[in-house]
Amino acid sequence: MHEQLEISPAPLGDVPGIALAGEVDIAVAKQVEAALDDGIRESAGAFVVDLCDVDFLDSTGVSLLMRARALLGRDERVLVVICPPGPARRIFEVAGILDLLTMFDSRDDASRALIPAD
C-alpha cells in the first residue's frame, strides 16, 4: 500500500516554503514538482522545504530538490532544506550532495539561521 503524500504550506517566519509528509518517490514526483514550481514562482528570496515528516525519500525526490535548487540559484535565491538525521537525510549523504544543500536538522535551527536576532 502506497502511503499518501501530503504537501502543505510551511513558511518559516517571512520565508516561504512547503512541508512534505509521507513518501516522496516516482509515484508523486509530478505533484511535488508542481508544488515546488508554484511555490518558487510565487515567492521571493529563500525558499524552505520541510522534510521532517517524510518517511521515505528516493532518488526522484532528491532530483526534484536539486532541480528546485537550480531554479532558485538562477535568481541567486537559496533552497533551505529541513531534514532531521534519519533515513531521508541518509540519501543525501549517500549521494554525496549534503554539502550542496543548505540543510538544517529542525525548523528551530533553520529559523535561528534565517531570521537575524534583534
Side-chain angles (χ1 to χ4, degrees):
M1 170 94 184
H2 187 77
E3 192 175 320
Q4 192 60 36
L5 173 75
E6 287 181 37
I7 302 173
S8 54
L12 199 60
D14 293 334
V15 181
I18 61 171
L20 304 177
E23 297 185 359
V24 181
D25 59 20
I26 190 85
V28 296
K30 289 284 182 227
Q31 212 180 329
V32 174
E33 183 177 34
L36 285 168
D37 287 355
D38 290 349
I40 290 168
R41 188 172 45 249
E42 294 165 9
S43 65
F47 190 80
V48 174
V49 178
D50 184 337
L51 302 178
C52 291
D53 294 320
V54 168
D55 303 317
F56 177 80
L57 179 76
D58 72 359
S59 59
T60 309
V62 171
S63 296
L64 289 168
L65 289 171
M66 295 310 289
R67 182 180 166 279
R69 177 183 173 268
L71 280 174
L72 289 161
R74 287 187 207 153
D75 296 322
E76 294 183 19
R77 296 171 64 191
V78 177
L79 175 66
V80 176
V81 179
I82 302 170
C83 185
R89 177 86 163 242
R90 183 90 184 107
I91 193 166
F92 296 107
E93 294 167 3
V94 170
I97 59 170
L98 209 50
D99 58 340
L100 297 179
L101 297 166
T102 303
M103 191 170 293
F104 297 96
D105 291 350
S106 69
R107 291 184 67 83
D108 285 348
D109 288 351
S111 189
R112 279 192 294 273
L114 293 173
I115 300 159
D118 293 328

